[in-house]
Amino acid sequence: VYIAALAAVYNGYIACTVNPIDPLLHANLTAVPLVRSVGGPTKKFCWVCQVHVSKNSQHCRFCDKCVLQFDHHCAWLNTCVGEENYREFFACVTLVFLFTAFEFIGQSILIIRWFKEGASSSVRLKAIELYGGTDGTTFITISLVYYGLLFGTVAMIAQLFFFHVNLKRLGISTYDYIIKEARENQKKQREKSEKCKLQREDARLRSEAGQRLLCGACWVGGEK
């Protein structure tokens, strides 16, 4: 658990310190090109940076720079995640998930033994020996509060971990996923709008034909 925690801190540090800036932008700003492939001659112009960058780069409004293979801006690490630091970012998330999950399992076993084995529980006797008291009420209260906080943490980290596992399976980035979801939502909204428009037109034509709508499922003819 402690090794995983230290490894998570290390990978998080590397992800924060590596600059994922687009190499063409870096060359323009410093006149010292980075030794990095940009995948052919395909370029696009960034109107914010006012320079040609790689076609697969995106401008981050938080970092105010174009990032090669932009995935997302991580608020927790306070840095952009792109081609140069995604591996360390994913390793950090994976390790945090592992050590919090192991901690959650260990805490679950402790609490189960506490209540299942009763007053003669070795866990309860050890808690009284280390923390004092007569029945270990303070210890188990703190443990239950910690257990609740740990559960919420593991749930959030697990969601993030499996989300990125799914992205790797699909071969897309977080940015691509968000754009895809936005386009699908726009498509659904257009289809819904068109459907409502057709329904209103149908109702108008029926009304003009001397019919009256009584409910959503039936039409009854009548005079205007």
Side-chain angles (χ1 to χ4, degrees):
V1 173
Y2 297 113
I3 294 174
L6 291 173
V9 172
Y10 172 77
N11 280 279
Y13 172 76
I14 297 299
C16 290
T17 54
V18 170
N19 188 359
I21 189 173
D22 180 273
L24 298 177
L25 175 60
H26 183 272
N28 182 270
L29 294 174
T30 63
V32 181
L34 297 176
V35 181
R36 194 187 303 167
S37 172
V38 296
T42 55
K43 301 176 183 178
K44 65 180 180 181
F45 188 76
C46 176
W47 294 98
V48 181
C49 296
Q50 288 293 297
V51 66
H52 282 90
V53 296
S54 273
K55 190 175 182 179
N56 56 2
S57 293
Q58 298 293 337
H59 188 89
C60 175
R61 62 189 179 92
F62 298 103
C63 295
D64 195 26
K65 64 185 178 186
C66 284
V67 176
L68 186 65
Q69 290 285 13
F70 178 77
D71 187 82
H72 71 286
H73 181 90
C74 180
W76 297 104
L77 298 178
N78 192 33
T79 188
C80 278
V81 178
E83 183 180 84
E84 289 300 295
N85 59 351
Y86 181 82
R87 182 179 62 182
E88 288 77 14
F89 166 79
F90 184 72
C92 178
V93 171
T94 302
L95 290 164
V96 169
F97 170 66
L98 289 176
F99 86 73
T100 53
F102 280 126
E103 180 71 11
F104 180 76
I105 293 170
Q107 194 71 10
S108 299
I109 294 172
L110 183 148
I111 291 173
I112 290 171
R113 288 186 60 189
W114 180 280
F115 289 105
K116 187 176 181 180
E117 296 177 7
S120 61
S121 169
S122 59
V123 175
R124 184 171 300 198
L125 295 175
K126 190 68 175 178
I128 295 172
E129 177 186 343
L130 292 175
Y131 302 101
T134 56
D135 56 1
T137 303
T138 302
F139 173 79
I140 193 61
T141 301
I142 294 174
S143 295
L144 288 171
V145 171
Y146 175 64
Y147 186 70
L149 294 173
L150 192 60
F151 175 79
T153 301
V154 172
M156 290 188 293
I157 295 296
Q159 188 273 336
L160 181 62
F161 170 72
F162 287 110
F163 173 71
H164 279 276
V165 168
N166 187 51
L167 291 182
K168 291 172 77 69
R169 182 183 66 84
L170 297 173
I172 61 176
S173 65
T174 303
Y175 177 81
D176 294 331
Y177 177 83
I178 292 172
I179 295 299
K180 179 183 176 183
E181 287 290 302
R183 287 174 178 170
E184 288 180 353
N185 288 334
Q186 289 177 353
K187 182 180 178 182
K188 290 179 181 177
Q189 288 295 328
R190 286 196 299 267
E191 291 175 349
K192 184 178 179 180
S193 178
E194 287 295 324
K195 184 178 180 180
C196 290
K197 184 178 178 180
L198 290 173
Q199 288 177 341
R200 287 195 299 267
E201 182 65 17
D202 185 60
R204 184 184 67 81
L205 292 174
R206 288 177 180 273
S207 178
E208 289 178 355
Q211 295 178 321
R212 182 176 298 168
L213 180 64
L214 293 184
C215 68
C218 60
W219 290 88
V220 176
E223 298 294 329
K224 285 187 177 180

